[in-house]
Amino acid sequence: MTQLKPTQDRSNDELDRLAQLAEDVIRRARAAGASQAEVAASIDTGLNVNVRLGEVETVEHTRDRGFGLTVYFGQRKGSASTADLNADSIQATLEQACAIARYTEEDPASGLADASRMATEFPDLDLWHPWRIETDQAIALGKQIEDAGRAHAGITNSDGASVQMGESLAVYANSHGFLGRERGTRHSLSVALIAGDDDGMQRDYWYDSVRSADDFMSPQALGDKAAQRTLARMGARSLSTRQAPVLFTPDVARGLIGHLIGAVSGGALYRRASFLLDHAGKQVMPSWMNIVERPFLMRGQGSGAFDAEGVATRDSSLIESGVLARYVLGSYSARKLGLQSTGNAGGIHNMIVEPGQDDFAALLKRMGTGLVVTEVMGQGVSTVTGDYSRGAAGFWVENGQIVYPVEEITIAANLRDMYANIVAVGSDVDHRSHLLTGSILLEQMTIAGE
């Protein structure tokens, strides 16, 4: 991938300035009467280029700053934020946070995470890989990707290609004396294509997301993949209503596991708005299934040594032999539930569904006859009841072979049954996210169509 000669990296200097600012504001908050205080400060820079049909559509350079302060007066909390890091804005933000805290109700669960849980080790997880690409090079790369896709016979139009470069610097500090610094890069390429004939049109896309531009798939491969996916949808039809096995491709299966994480996360639990309430220690998936959080993956999309409250992250099972081993909690939700933080304030850190031995072709054979789902639409998922009903598109499979594309169908079941009746997880793991899974084969769902 195109790289320019290195320019001086000032990221550590920027982090030093953010750290000094954070520590200074915490001292001032304590002087103003706050019993506890925490600061999150960040600088995000990026380049986003979009091209369509060989022409430049947009070029956007970004440099966004953020500063958020939370103060606690006993168990009364006040938060304020600003995007301006000059002294006057920071002082106004401090005064606003303190004023809010003085007038809010006490909340017994509020406060910093426990001091004993703060991270003390900060390994280099290989997350910082600046991509020194100039605007004209990004435009040329976008055109190259789009041209690769448009060269396929049957591709008649394009929704455009995108090239994105991003760098993020962040500091979190609190009045326990904790100071955590993070720097990370995230870059992406994408293209969306359209195929059409007398019988209709279809659209599909593909993308790649990496920490280092050296890890991108080639522009040719990306364009080819998007074109192949788009052309494969031509001639799609609906299905009659039926019950059948369903195979979710990895990018769609990721959402299925995301619903699980949502249902076992603190906010849903302490509000008693989850179908998995009181399920810790109970069987929720087949006994061969394991899901593990791995915060220290090198170049991982969700890697980090501490969470949004400074709590040390650690390798930890979520699902162990099909049993829900724990919930997903920050300190506030943990206190509301009478439990301990799991180091998940701000989200998860590389949740990995343990892959099986079967690749995608082997999963098709194992399914025999059924539906492959490559896209889901709509918001028909209830974390409260577990009811799942979404629009879908994909392919009908017979005798382990894809026979034709399908669209305009709805797939429905209850998540509790879907999780319990997972047949297999594929070896085709998608690494483009902090939630890593292969394809997931379900025993049966209701398919509603014609």
Side-chain angles (χ1 to χ4, degrees):
M1 201 56 60
T2 303
Q3 294 272 10
L4 286 184
K5 63 182 180 182
T7 57
Q8 188 171 0
D9 187 344
R10 299 188 180 277
S11 60
N12 281 317
D13 294 337
E14 298 262 30
L15 283 171
D16 288 342
R17 282 193 285 274
L18 290 178
Q20 290 165 7
L21 176 62
E23 290 182 314
D24 176 59
V25 171
I26 287 171
R27 283 192 294 270
R28 286 153 57 191
R30 294 298 302 273
S35 52
Q36 294 183 328
E38 58 185 339
V39 165
S42 62
I43 300 175
D44 296 314
T45 56
L47 169 67
N48 185 7
V49 169
N50 291 286
V51 300
R52 179 173 178 270
L53 300 177
E55 300 293 329
V56 179
E57 286 215 313
T58 60
V59 175
E60 182 181 15
H61 291 270
T62 58
R63 183 174 172 84
D64 299 321
R65 297 173 177 85
F67 181 90
L69 168 66
T70 298
V71 296
Y72 300 92
F73 285 69
Q75 290 183 305
R76 290 173 292 144
K77 172 184 173 181
S79 296
S81 62
T82 179
D84 186 349
L85 299 186
N86 73 47
D88 290 343
S89 293
I90 296 296
Q91 181 61 31
T93 303
L94 172 59
E95 292 170 359
Q96 289 166 356
C98 291
I100 292 166
R102 290 190 178 100
Y103 291 101
T104 55
E105 296 272 339
E106 288 199 359
D107 184 342
S110 73
L112 299 179
D114 296 345
S116 62
R117 301 291 306 279
M118 296 295 104
T120 57
E121 297 180 5
F122 306 95
D124 182 357
L125 300 175
D126 199 26
L127 308 180
W128 182 250
H129 295 276
W131 185 18
R132 306 303 185 195
I133 186 169
E134 296 287 356
T135 302
D136 58 349
Q137 293 176 307
I139 291 168
L141 179 56
K143 290 179 179 179
Q144 187 181 356
I145 294 166
E146 187 185 46
D147 288 347
R150 292 178 65 201
H152 286 249
I155 297 297
T156 55
N157 207 337
S158 168
D159 262 351
S162 173
V163 177
Q164 293 181 306
M165 175 277 289
E167 301 175 3
S168 179
L169 305 174
V171 164
Y172 171 80
N174 64 37
S175 53
H176 290 324
F178 177 83
L179 175 65
R181 303 148 57 107
E182 293 183 305
R183 58 177 191 165
T185 52
R186 188 169 276 113
H187 316 302
S188 67
L189 305 174
S190 66
V191 63
L193 300 169
I194 297 168
D197 59 21
D198 293 342
D199 295 323
M201 291 198 310
Q202 293 289 343
R203 176 190 181 279
D204 214 325
Y205 72 99
W206 197 245
Y207 76 97
D208 202 8
S209 178
V210 296
R211 291 287 193 174
S212 168
D214 293 339
D215 296 333
F216 274 132
M217 63 193 303
S218 73
Q220 183 68 47
L222 182 60
D224 288 345
K225 178 89 170 178
Q228 291 156 6
R229 284 170 57 90
T230 305
L231 292 167
R233 296 176 68 136
M234 292 299 290
R237 62 185 94 165
S238 187
L239 292 169
S240 59
T241 297
R242 65 190 72 182
Q243 302 261 324
V246 173
L247 177 60
F248 287 83
T249 56
D251 47 329
V252 184
R254 187 162 61 230
L256 191 62
I257 301 303
H259 298 315
L260 170 72
I261 293 166
V264 300
S265 291
L269 295 169
Y270 76 72
R271 294 184 182 94
R272 304 191 68 80
S274 169
F275 72 99
L276 292 178
L277 189 68
D278 300 324
H279 271 62
K282 296 181 181 178
Q283 193 89 24
V284 296
M285 287 181 160
S287 59
W288 51 265
M289 273 201 77
N290 296 289
I291 302 179
V292 183
E293 189 170 20
R294 302 278 190 215
F296 303 107
L297 286 185
M298 303 301 281
R299 296 194 185 183
Q301 296 282 1
S303 296
F306 55 92
D307 73 358
E309 299 176 316
V311 173
T313 56
R314 62 187 179 92
D315 288 358
S316 175
S317 292
L318 181 68
I319 299 291
E320 194 166 0
S321 300
V323 174
L324 179 61
R326 64 173 173 93
Y327 298 128
V328 176
L329 308 174
S331 63
Y332 182 82
S333 58
R335 289 177 189 136
K336 296 282 280 187
L337 295 165
L339 300 170
Q340 295 290 315
S341 170
T342 59
N344 291 116
I348 58 171
H349 302 89
N350 302 320
M351 198 68 79
I352 303 171
V353 181
E354 187 176 283
Q357 299 297 314
D358 291 341
D359 61 12
F360 187 71
L363 288 176
L364 289 178
K365 289 188 174 65
R366 191 162 174 178
M367 178 168 68
T369 296
L371 176 69
V372 170
V373 174
T374 59
E375 181 183 13
V376 288
M377 296 150 271
Q379 305 298 315
V381 183
S382 170
T383 305
V384 179
T385 64
D387 289 339
Y388 183 102
S389 178
R390 302 189 73 182
F395 300 92
W396 185 249
V397 175
E398 293 178 358
N399 299 316
Q401 300 290 324
I402 290 174
V403 288
Y404 55 83
V406 296
E407 63 183 1
E408 297 178 358
I409 57 172
T410 300
I411 53 175
N414 188 278
L415 285 168
R416 193 191 309 270
D417 299 326
M418 292 165 71
Y419 295 142
N421 296 313
I422 292 174
V423 174
V425 177
S427 61
D428 52 341
V429 177
D430 185 348
H431 292 274
R432 298 173 298 171
S433 170
H434 63 308
L435 205 167
L436 295 88
T437 181
S439 298
I440 293 181
L441 175 60
L442 302 184
E443 184 178 284
Q444 185 173 273
M445 293 184 74
T446 296
I447 303 166
E450 297 170 342

